[in-house]
Amino acid sequence: MGRVYAYSRVAPGESETEIRAAMEEMQVACEDVYVDQPLQKQRKFPQYLKVLKKLVPGDLLYIRGLSDLGDGYGEVKEQWRILTKEKKVDVIVLEIPQLDTRKGKVQYGPLVADVVYSLLEYFTDSDSNVRKSRQREGIAEAKKKGIKFGRPPKQMPENFYQIYNQWVSKEITATEAAKLCNVSRTMFYQKVKEVQAGLEKFKK
């Protein structure tokens, strides 16, 4: 067996001292306990990066809960993969004693690690599907209410028809007309089509 480490994030209302004391009860040396105090606006975890760099195959890492590895299923899944598959270390989750990757390893190999990874993958996909479904439902509901998405179309200037007539009489080019309207040539032509379609209807 390799070296034993411990890592945790400080939650609101907790102190780093309490966490260190709890980890040391697990027979982890003081210098091998790593604790991050995440700032609200800056989600950086330098202590986690330090312990991650030190871990080698055969080491053991204690964490209090899966939330120590990330803020969502996707983050947790990725860090679990790095720890158990890339770093090839064992992980014990103190809040869930059953999550001990050492269990059954002799008979079944990395069974616990693989099962946890599969579950995290499932929850990540399910969470993503739920979010997409809610997003689709929200968009459909908004469309029913007449809410339009995207940027609002640019308004033509008040003197558009004067510019339009100058373009029709070939006094100015389409590029010049679009520039005077402060729109792209494509948008100018779209407006021209609308005007011409309106004139056709009026003639009928």
Side-chain angles (χ1 to χ4, degrees), residues 88-104:
K88 298 186 187 304
V89 301
D90 281 312
V91 182
I92 296 177
V93 184
L94 296 177
E95 290 178 357
I96 313 170
Q98 294 84 352
L99 292 189
D100 179 344
T101 60
R102 299 171 304 171
K103 291 182 177 179

Side-chain angles (χ1 to χ4, degrees), residues 149-194:
F149 297 91
R151 293 181 180 179
K154 279 192 174 182
Q155 296 298 315
M156 292 295 171
E158 290 181 5
N159 64 338
F160 168 76
Y161 288 100
Q162 181 186 337
I163 297 168
Y164 169 75
N165 288 328
Q166 285 179 298
W167 173 73
V168 170
S169 60
K170 297 186 178 178
E171 293 176 35
I172 58 175
T173 65
T175 302
E176 291 171 327
K179 195 171 181 181
L180 289 168
C181 292
N182 195 29
V183 296
S184 65
R185 273 183 49 154
T186 303
M187 191 164 287
F188 174 72
Y189 279 126
Q190 285 177 352
K191 186 63 179 177
V192 167
K193 283 182 182 179
E194 288 176 19

Side-chain angles (χ1 to χ4, degrees), residues 20-40:
R20 286 187 172 279
M23 291 301 188
E24 284 168 23
E25 284 182 17
M26 305 305 298
Q27 309 299 312
V28 183
C30 180
E31 65 272 16
D32 292 329
V33 176
Y34 292 80
V35 180
D36 270 316
Q37 298 201 31
L39 300 173
Q40 208 163 18

Side-chain angles (χ1 to χ4, degrees), residues 26-197:
M26 305 305 298
Q27 309 299 312
V28 183
C30 180
E31 65 272 16
D32 292 329
V33 176
Y34 292 80
V35 180
D36 270 316
Q37 298 201 31
L39 300 173
Q40 208 163 18
K41 293 181 180 178
Q42 196 175 17
R43 304 296 288 171
K44 292 184 178 179
F45 306 97
Q47 296 303 310
Y48 179 70
L49 295 177
K50 281 184 182 179
V51 71
L52 197 61
K53 196 172 180 180
K54 288 195 169 190
L55 290 167
V56 296
D59 285 346
L60 173 64
L61 176 67
Y62 283 100
I63 58 174
R64 282 194 306 165
L66 289 173
S67 58
D68 284 332
L69 299 181
D71 294 328
Y73 290 124
E75 276 186 48
V76 174
K77 182 190 80 169
E78 177 59 12
Q79 294 308 316
W80 186 269
R81 182 191 67 77
I82 290 170
L83 291 169
T84 61
K85 295 184 183 296
E86 284 188 16
K87 291 288 185 176
K88 298 186 187 304
V89 301
D90 281 312
V91 182
I92 296 177
V93 184
L94 296 177
E95 290 178 357
I96 313 170
Q98 294 84 352
L99 292 189
D100 179 344
T101 60
R102 299 171 304 171
K103 291 182 177 179
K105 205 167 186 180
V106 176
Q107 298 94 335
Y108 309 111
L111 178 64
V112 174
D114 290 345
V115 169
V116 173
Y117 182 79
S118 297
L119 285 171
L120 288 169
E121 196 166 39
Y122 169 77
F123 287 132
T124 302
D125 292 341
S126 297
D127 194 42
S128 176
N129 290 335
V130 168
R131 283 201 308 273
K132 285 177 183 176
S133 177
R134 285 176 181 168
Q135 190 178 48
R136 285 195 297 269
E137 288 169 7
I139 291 171
E141 189 63 31
K143 283 181 177 177
K144 283 181 187 176
K145 293 177 180 177
I147 297 171
K148 293 183 179 179
F149 297 91
R151 293 181 180 179
K154 279 192 174 182
Q155 296 298 315
M156 292 295 171
E158 290 181 5
N159 64 338
F160 168 76
Y161 288 100
Q162 181 186 337
I163 297 168
Y164 169 75
N165 288 328
Q166 285 179 298
W167 173 73
V168 170
S169 60
K170 297 186 178 178
E171 293 176 35
I172 58 175
T173 65
T175 302
E176 291 171 327
K179 195 171 181 181
L180 289 168
C181 292
N182 195 29
V183 296
S184 65
R185 273 183 49 154
T186 303
M187 191 164 287
F188 174 72
Y189 279 126
Q190 285 177 352
K191 186 63 179 177
V192 167
K193 283 182 182 179
E194 288 176 19
V195 171
Q196 291 175 343

